[in-house]
Amino acid sequence: MDEPIVKTIGLKKYFRAGKSGLLNRIFRQEPPLVKAVDNVSIEVQSGEVLGLVGESGCGKTTLGRLISTLETPTDGEIFFTGQKVTRGNWKAIRRQLQMVFQNPYESLDPRQSIKSIVTEPLLKLGFSKAEREAQFEKVMSAVGLDQNFAQRRPKDLSGGQRQRVAVARSIVSTPKFIVLDEPTSALDASVQSQVLNLLVGLRNDFNFSYIVITHNIAVARFISDRIATMYAGQVVELGPTDMVLKDPKHPYTQALLKSVPTLEIKRVEPPHGEVPSLINLPSGCRFHTRCPYVMEKCKTQDPEMRKVGDVNVACWLY
Ligand code: SF4
């Protein structure tokens, strides 16, 4: 198999919750540590779509930002087409990566024209005016928007059109890899499927690779080749979409799927119990405070990922 387009090894992102206040300084205490991403190792192959699912606050977006080089890891390694991302080369690598944010109402600058928003990445990369014009025409056509949108502002567009503009901006510099953070969650149900179909079409036409971050299993089912379930900063199950959805191994993935009885697009209801704080994580398996199958060893020993058939799962049941 070729070198993965993206690979992470033992990736961690810890940060301090809030600033060090006066009392903390007097008592020489650090603000608490948030373990947003904790020891995540994943790979995405060229042309592959990996769906990253889990409840809000499980670290999905932070992982996406790390992979997009928008955040610096606390520890661990990221490789892009086999090349390790370092302080010296991250700017060059970032040109080949893009991230599309959740809310098209907030992610587009309201003062800029659509043409200026879409072609801004090319301006930063030093493309000539003629090259920018040509790329603008190409990507607007690819995302199904008329050239007449060029001088309009985001406020003149519907939610679906704005997300198409966000996608056009993300592909204008012909990146190899795009992280899509909840790309449809701010859109009406009728527009969601249009944007998903657009993303599938673009992937087929341009061989893009995506990580699609979503709390919506139906979105992951529709678009992903493989699914990774994330819980409390860790990936707990990873495998081909059909297998994970037909026969989920990890009790957390099972709980997520119970809330999606049909193929229709539907919000994931949270499994029973509270999501643990990333500041004060449970010992052992982080899911043990909510797991119906909890055993004594689960409370003290953190299971590592192991292969179960074609799926990787971190659970003492296997
Ligand atoms: Fe449940 Fe134990 Fe598996 Fe964790 S390791 S998911 S607590 S059975």
Side-chain angles (χ1 to χ4, degrees), residues 48-73:
E48 185 185 38
V49 181
L50 178 69
L52 196 57
V53 302
E55 292 162 281
S56 297
C58 69
K60 306 186 297 291
T61 295
T62 307
L63 179 58
R65 291 180 64 83
L66 285 170
I67 290 172
S68 306
T69 72
L70 296 173
E71 299 270 358
T72 310

mmCIF file of all heavy atoms in Angstrom, residues 48-73:
data_model
loop_
_atom_site.group_PDB
_atom_site.id
_atom_site.type_symbol
_atom_site.label_atom_id
_atom_site.label_comp_id
_atom_site.label_asym_id
_atom_site.label_seq_id
_atom_site.Cartn_x
_atom_site.Cartn_y
_atom_site.Cartn_z
ATOM 1 N N GLU A 48 -9.050 8.622 0.406
ATOM 2 C CA GLU A 48 -9.944 8.022 1.406
ATOM 3 C C GLU A 48 -10.700 9.101 2.188
ATOM 4 O O GLU A 48 -10.205 10.205 2.375
ATOM 5 C CB GLU A 48 -9.121 7.176 2.385
ATOM 6 C CG GLU A 48 -9.985 6.431 3.384
ATOM 7 C CD GLU A 48 -9.185 5.673 4.435
ATOM 8 O OE1 GLU A 48 -8.145 6.177 4.889
ATOM 9 O OE2 GLU A 48 -9.606 4.577 4.797
ATOM 10 N N VAL A 49 -11.904 8.742 2.662
ATOM 11 C CA VAL A 49 -12.650 9.614 3.569
ATOM 12 C C VAL A 49 -12.759 8.902 4.915
ATOM 13 O O VAL A 49 -13.289 7.794 5.004
ATOM 14 C CB VAL A 49 -14.069 9.913 3.036
ATOM 15 C CG1 VAL A 49 -14.811 10.840 4.009
ATOM 16 C CG2 VAL A 49 -14.015 10.536 1.653
ATOM 17 N N LEU A 50 -12.215 9.549 5.948
ATOM 18 C CA LEU A 50 -12.307 9.002 7.308
ATOM 19 C C LEU A 50 -13.317 9.833 8.081
ATOM 20 O O LEU A 50 -13.161 11.055 8.197
ATOM 21 C CB LEU A 50 -10.937 9.062 8.006
ATOM 22 C CG LEU A 50 -10.933 8.566 9.457
ATOM 23 C CD1 LEU A 50 -11.162 7.059 9.532
ATOM 24 C CD2 LEU A 50 -9.623 8.927 10.156
ATOM 25 N N GLY A 51 -14.353 9.189 8.598
ATOM 26 C CA GLY A 51 -15.341 9.880 9.435
ATOM 27 C C GLY A 51 -14.906 9.804 10.886
ATOM 28 O O GLY A 51 -14.573 8.719 11.378
ATOM 29 N N LEU A 52 -14.891 10.958 11.553
ATOM 30 C CA LEU A 52 -14.488 11.010 12.964
ATOM 31 C C LEU A 52 -15.740 11.346 13.762
ATOM 32 O O LEU A 52 -16.270 12.451 13.643
ATOM 33 C CB LEU A 52 -13.431 12.099 13.106
ATOM 34 C CG LEU A 52 -12.565 12.159 14.339
ATOM 35 C CD1 LEU A 52 -11.814 10.853 14.557
ATOM 36 C CD2 LEU A 52 -11.556 13.311 14.200
ATOM 37 N N VAL A 53 -16.244 10.365 14.523
ATOM 38 C CA VAL A 53 -17.524 10.567 15.211
ATOM 39 C C VAL A 53 -17.341 10.539 16.727
ATOM 40 O O VAL A 53 -16.381 9.966 17.243
ATOM 41 C CB VAL A 53 -18.580 9.506 14.795
ATOM 42 C CG1 VAL A 53 -18.828 9.532 13.301
ATOM 43 C CG2 VAL A 53 -18.176 8.108 15.236
ATOM 44 N N GLY A 54 -18.309 11.146 17.412
ATOM 45 C CA GLY A 54 -18.270 11.196 18.873
ATOM 46 C C GLY A 54 -19.070 12.392 19.350
ATOM 47 O O GLY A 54 -19.424 13.267 18.558
ATOM 48 N N GLU A 55 -19.330 12.410 20.656
ATOM 49 C CA GLU A 55 -20.110 13.512 21.217
ATOM 50 C C GLU A 55 -19.299 14.811 21.229
ATOM 51 O O GLU A 55 -18.079 14.787 21.125
ATOM 52 C CB GLU A 55 -20.517 13.177 22.655
ATOM 53 C CG GLU A 55 -21.506 12.036 22.740
ATOM 54 C CD GLU A 55 -21.536 11.476 24.151
ATOM 55 O OE1 GLU A 55 -20.634 10.703 24.504
ATOM 56 O OE2 GLU A 55 -22.459 11.816 24.895
ATOM 57 N N SER A 56 -20.010 15.933 21.431
ATOM 58 C CA SER A 56 -19.329 17.227 21.568
ATOM 59 C C SER A 56 -18.338 17.163 22.711
ATOM 60 O O SER A 56 -18.617 16.547 23.742
ATOM 61 C CB SER A 56 -20.343 18.326 21.889
ATOM 62 O OG SER A 56 -21.221 18.457 20.839
ATOM 63 N N GLY A 57 -17.195 17.798 22.533
ATOM 64 C CA GLY A 57 -16.213 17.881 23.614
ATOM 65 C C GLY A 57 -15.318 16.657 23.726
ATOM 66 O O GLY A 57 -14.577 16.528 24.692
ATOM 67 N N CYS A 58 -15.348 15.759 22.726
ATOM 68 C CA CYS A 58 -14.516 14.545 22.841
ATOM 69 C C CYS A 58 -13.128 14.747 22.221
ATOM 70 O O CYS A 58 -12.305 13.846 22.246
ATOM 71 C CB CYS A 58 -15.211 13.345 22.208
ATOM 72 S SG CYS A 58 -15.333 13.460 20.419
ATOM 73 N N GLY A 59 -12.877 15.925 21.634
ATOM 74 C CA GLY A 59 -11.541 16.205 21.083
ATOM 75 C C GLY A 59 -11.465 16.112 19.568
ATOM 76 O O GLY A 59 -10.385 16.272 19.004
ATOM 77 N N LYS A 60 -12.602 15.903 18.886
ATOM 78 C CA LYS A 60 -12.588 15.731 17.426
ATOM 79 C C LYS A 60 -12.028 16.973 16.719
ATOM 80 O O LYS A 60 -11.179 16.873 15.849
ATOM 81 C CB LYS A 60 -14.006 15.479 16.868
ATOM 82 C CG LYS A 60 -14.779 14.349 17.487
ATOM 83 C CD LYS A 60 -16.105 14.110 16.759
ATOM 84 C CE LYS A 60 -17.108 15.238 16.792
ATOM 85 N NZ LYS A 60 -17.735 15.531 18.075
ATOM 86 N N THR A 61 -12.560 18.134 17.103
ATOM 87 C CA THR A 61 -12.136 19.358 16.414
ATOM 88 C C THR A 61 -10.669 19.653 16.698
ATOM 89 O O THR A 61 -9.921 20.057 15.795
ATOM 90 C CB THR A 61 -13.026 20.542 16.831
ATOM 91 O OG1 THR A 61 -14.351 20.272 16.370
ATOM 92 C CG2 THR A 61 -12.558 21.849 16.227
ATOM 93 N N THR A 62 -10.223 19.430 17.936
ATOM 94 C CA THR A 62 -8.804 19.671 18.248
ATOM 95 C C THR A 62 -7.926 18.753 17.414
ATOM 96 O O THR A 62 -6.884 19.174 16.885
ATOM 97 C CB THR A 62 -8.537 19.456 19.758
ATOM 98 O OG1 THR A 62 -9.450 20.252 20.491
ATOM 99 C CG2 THR A 62 -7.121 19.833 20.129
ATOM 100 N N LEU A 63 -8.339 17.487 17.254
ATOM 101 C CA LEU A 63 -7.564 16.566 16.421
ATOM 102 C C LEU A 63 -7.514 17.082 14.975
ATOM 103 O O LEU A 63 -6.458 17.069 14.330
ATOM 104 C CB LEU A 63 -8.174 15.154 16.480
ATOM 105 C CG LEU A 63 -7.486 14.093 15.630
ATOM 106 C CD1 LEU A 63 -6.011 13.941 15.992
ATOM 107 C CD2 LEU A 63 -8.184 12.733 15.786
ATOM 108 N N GLY A 64 -8.666 17.565 14.466
ATOM 109 C CA GLY A 64 -8.702 18.119 13.105
ATOM 110 C C GLY A 64 -7.774 19.314 12.970
ATOM 111 O O GLY A 64 -7.061 19.465 11.968
ATOM 112 N N ARG A 65 -7.744 20.178 13.967
ATOM 113 C CA ARG A 65 -6.888 21.373 13.928
ATOM 114 C C ARG A 65 -5.403 20.986 14.007
ATOM 115 O O ARG A 65 -4.561 21.618 13.375
ATOM 116 C CB ARG A 65 -7.256 22.333 15.064
ATOM 117 C CG ARG A 65 -8.627 22.974 14.862
ATOM 118 C CD ARG A 65 -8.962 23.928 16.004
ATOM 119 N NE ARG A 65 -8.056 25.058 16.066
ATOM 120 C CZ ARG A 65 -8.160 26.158 15.348
ATOM 121 N NH1 ARG A 65 -9.163 26.293 14.504
ATOM 122 N NH2 ARG A 65 -7.276 27.142 15.460
ATOM 123 N N LEU A 66 -5.097 19.951 14.780
ATOM 124 C CA LEU A 66 -3.702 19.482 14.845
ATOM 125 C C LEU A 66 -3.252 18.986 13.479
ATOM 126 O O LEU A 66 -2.169 19.337 12.994
ATOM 127 C CB LEU A 66 -3.578 18.341 15.864
ATOM 128 C CG LEU A 66 -3.615 18.710 17.349
ATOM 129 C CD1 LEU A 66 -3.726 17.442 18.193
ATOM 130 C CD2 LEU A 66 -2.373 19.493 17.744
ATOM 131 N N ILE A 67 -4.113 18.159 12.864
ATOM 132 C CA ILE A 67 -3.747 17.573 11.565
ATOM 133 C C ILE A 67 -3.646 18.669 10.497
ATOM 134 O O ILE A 67 -2.825 18.586 9.591
ATOM 135 C CB ILE A 67 -4.763 16.474 11.177
ATOM 136 C CG1 ILE A 67 -4.579 15.280 12.113
ATOM 137 C CG2 ILE A 67 -4.585 16.045 9.726
ATOM 138 C CD1 ILE A 67 -5.635 14.212 11.979
ATOM 139 N N SER A 68 -4.468 19.719 10.635
ATOM 140 C CA SER A 68 -4.416 20.831 9.671
ATOM 141 C C SER A 68 -3.273 21.789 9.958
ATOM 142 O O SER A 68 -3.188 22.848 9.322
ATOM 143 C CB SER A 68 -5.721 21.628 9.710
ATOM 144 O OG SER A 68 -6.813 20.801 9.514
ATOM 145 N N THR A 69 -2.451 21.500 10.945
ATOM 146 C CA THR A 69 -1.324 22.333 11.398
ATOM 147 C C THR A 69 -1.772 23.691 11.928
ATOM 148 O O THR A 69 -1.018 24.655 11.943
ATOM 149 C CB THR A 69 -0.223 22.534 10.307
ATOM 150 O OG1 THR A 69 -0.717 23.399 9.297
ATOM 151 C CG2 THR A 69 0.227 21.233 9.698
ATOM 152 N N LEU A 70 -3.046 23.778 12.353
ATOM 153 C CA LEU A 70 -3.518 25.028 12.968
ATOM 154 C C LEU A 70 -3.203 25.051 14.463
ATOM 155 O O LEU A 70 -3.328 26.082 15.111
ATOM 156 C CB LEU A 70 -5.046 25.182 12.763
ATOM 157 C CG LEU A 70 -5.484 25.309 11.311
ATOM 158 C CD1 LEU A 70 -7.007 25.271 11.199
ATOM 159 C CD2 LEU A 70 -4.946 26.605 10.707
ATOM 160 N N GLU A 71 -2.850 23.904 15.028
ATOM 161 C CA GLU A 71 -2.434 23.801 16.431
ATOM 162 C C GLU A 71 -1.112 23.043 16.461
ATOM 163 O O GLU A 71 -0.859 22.194 15.597
ATOM 164 C CB GLU A 71 -3.435 22.982 17.254
ATOM 165 C CG GLU A 71 -4.830 23.532 17.307
ATOM 166 C CD GLU A 71 -5.038 24.474 18.470
ATOM 167 O OE1 GLU A 71 -4.104 24.682 19.264
ATOM 168 O OE2 GLU A 71 -6.150 25.005 18.561
ATOM 169 N N THR A 72 -0.321 23.319 17.489
ATOM 170 C CA THR A 72 0.937 22.601 17.660
ATOM 171 C C THR A 72 0.735 21.472 18.666
ATOM 172 O O THR A 72 0.172 21.709 19.747
ATOM 173 C CB THR A 72 2.012 23.558 18.223
ATOM 174 O OG1 THR A 72 2.008 24.726 17.422
ATOM 175 C CG2 THR A 72 3.389 22.922 18.194
ATOM 176 N N PRO A 73 1.149 20.258 18.338
ATOM 177 C CA PRO A 73 0.943 19.156 19.297
ATOM 178 C C PRO A 73 1.798 19.324 20.552
ATOM 179 O O PRO A 73 2.884 19.897 20.498
ATOM 180 C CB PRO A 73 1.386 17.907 18.535
ATOM 181 C CG PRO A 73 1.761 18.325 17.167
ATOM 182 C CD PRO A 73 1.792 19.807 17.102
#
